[in-house]
Amino acid sequence: MPHRTCHHGHRAGLRRLLSHAMGRHGHHRHHGGEPHDSEALTRGRKFSARDLQLMFLSLLAEQPRHGYELIKEVEQRSKGYYTPSPGVVYPALTYLEETGLVEVEAAGNRKLYRVSAAGQSQLAAEKHQAELMLASLAYMGKKMETMRRAMAGESAEGDESGWLPEYLAARHGLKRLLVLKAEADADEQRRIAAILQRAIREIEQPGVSDA
């Protein structure tokens, strides 16, 4: 297949993905409320109520915020990929308040939410999942920026996402290989799993390399 055709197909795929991710005004089509797995944002699925509560609790642990500020913070971190609606945010905050995980300070018609001691304990107990939720927002923000630049025909190197071409190539290469190995037998699956587990351990140790 000619290179020009491949490039056109790649760009068309990016357009479809970006169109799926964003609504008419740049808002994600999903606004929370349904169960999902730990890769909800990366797969475009909805958040469960529990995941949203944990996400908001994590953001409030950084600093006290109003409900509207939480909405804008999530939107900013995901670069517009996900914007929770008020109908999702305020019921979650009400639950956190009623369960004693946040404290509320009234200022006129607005409420300022801050994490309570009980909320801090809850975050400590669910530290891994809380970190994963915030990391997912950042991941999708980077992905959105990369897609925007690709659609504009701009170079990925040095873009705002911070993802280098070699990093993207490695990610895409791994995804492609796993698709090709979809019908692998048990022995081959074990071999691949062992390789990936070694890679996971190395990636979890920043600064460690073979150089």
Side-chain angles (χ1 to χ4, degrees), residues 93-147:
L93 290 174
T94 297
Y95 174 84
L96 293 174
E97 179 183 0
E98 291 176 347
T99 54
L101 299 179
V102 301
E103 299 172 345
V104 180
E105 176 183 331
N109 295 327
R110 304 180 68 190
K111 292 183 177 181
L112 182 67
Y113 299 87
R114 67 179 75 248
V115 175
S116 66
Q120 294 287 2
S121 296
Q122 186 69 31
L123 283 174
E126 299 187 66
K127 182 175 183 294
H128 176 74
Q129 183 65 14
E131 291 176 347
L132 181 60
M133 297 297 292
L134 296 187
S136 294
L137 288 177
Y139 173 84
M140 285 316 306
K142 286 176 179 289
K143 193 167 185 177
M144 287 296 292
E145 186 61 34
T146 298
M147 287 192 294

Side-chain angles (χ1 to χ4, degrees), residues 27-46:
H27 297 307
H28 192 276
R29 288 197 284 179
H30 300 319
H31 290 289
E34 290 184 5
H36 76 299
D37 59 22
S38 62
E39 298 181 13
L41 269 182
T42 62
R43 295 179 181 178
R45 298 181 187 175
K46 298 181 181 181

Side-chain angles (χ1 to χ4, degrees), residues 69-103:
E69 291 173 327
L70 279 176
I71 293 174
K72 301 307 293 182
E73 184 68 17
V74 171
E75 180 181 35
Q76 187 275 326
R77 293 198 185 200
S78 67
K79 295 191 182 301
Y81 182 84
Y82 179 62
T83 304
S85 69
V88 166
V89 173
Y90 289 103
L93 290 174
T94 297
Y95 174 84
L96 293 174
E97 179 183 0
E98 291 176 347
T99 54
L101 299 179
V102 301
E103 299 172 345

